[in-house]
Amino acid sequence: QGGAVKYNYDPQAQAFAIKRLLPDGLCFPLDFGFIPSTLGEDGDPLDILVINDHPAVVGALVTVRLIGVIEGEQSEDGQTFRNDRLLGVATVSRRFAGIAAPADLGEAFLRNLTQFWVNYSALRGAAFKVLAVRDRAAAIALVRGATRRLKATPAP
């Protein structure tokens, strides 16, 4: 949150590596991480945006309450695939303890948050289309499906 560095986890090194820098003036609006032991349709663990009182350090394990999901479709290099963004509230948060659904964040905040992903993708030559913002039940179903997908994938 507030940073301009995109990190990826490197399982071989067991560390986070810098993947890219955002352009000047652009920063991540929330902590951006992933759900371990999941496999999204894009081939990576599911992405999650974490709402918290303060930014977490890179690599921190944060327990969250899922509140919803930004369903998105990403196109790059001639391929189109789902690349959803889960929404969660850190369980330790006091300021956002009352947030239970995406609508609780407010229309303007959600509009800015979804537009960030459109702009972020466009700046790297990709396209991100917001399909819908859905509730907690949709987020839980997405995590369950991604957990099953990982278990069904043969080990390399």
Side-chain angles (χ1 to χ4, degrees), residues 8-16:
N8 268 12
Y9 184 72
D10 180 338
Q12 195 167 11
Q14 296 184 353
F16 285 87

Side-chain angles (χ1 to χ4, degrees), residues 51-54 63 65 89-99:
I51 301 158
N52 199 359
D53 298 9
H54 303 283
T63 304
R65 285 183 295 107
V89 176
T91 57
V92 296
S93 174
R94 293 182 304 274
R95 187 180 327 153
F96 301 105
I99 301 292

Side-chain angles (χ1 to χ4, degrees), residues 47-72:
D47 296 324
I48 187 164
L49 304 170
V50 179
I51 301 158
N52 199 359
D53 298 9
H54 303 283
V57 298
V58 173
L61 180 63
V62 180
T63 304
V64 302
R65 285 183 295 107
L66 288 176
I67 63 164
V69 58
I70 299 169
E71 293 179 339

Side-chain angles (χ1 to χ4, degrees), residues 40-125:
E41 290 185 26
D42 64 348
D44 293 330
L46 291 179
D47 296 324
I48 187 164
L49 304 170
V50 179
I51 301 158
N52 199 359
D53 298 9
H54 303 283
V57 298
V58 173
L61 180 63
V62 180
T63 304
V64 302
R65 285 183 295 107
L66 288 176
I67 63 164
V69 58
I70 299 169
E71 293 179 339
E73 190 175 77
Q74 188 167 321
S75 299
E76 66 182 302
D77 300 327
Q79 296 183 15
T80 299
F81 49 89
R82 286 290 291 270
N83 197 357
D84 302 323
R85 308 288 196 245
L86 292 163
L87 296 170
V89 176
T91 57
V92 296
S93 174
R94 293 182 304 274
R95 187 180 327 153
F96 301 105
I99 301 292
D104 295 341
L105 297 169
E107 186 179 319
F109 182 85
L110 282 176
R111 184 176 54 252
N112 290 337
L113 184 59
T114 55
Q115 189 61 45
F116 170 83
W117 295 105
V118 171
N119 296 341
Y120 169 78
S121 296
L123 288 168
R124 354 181 254 103

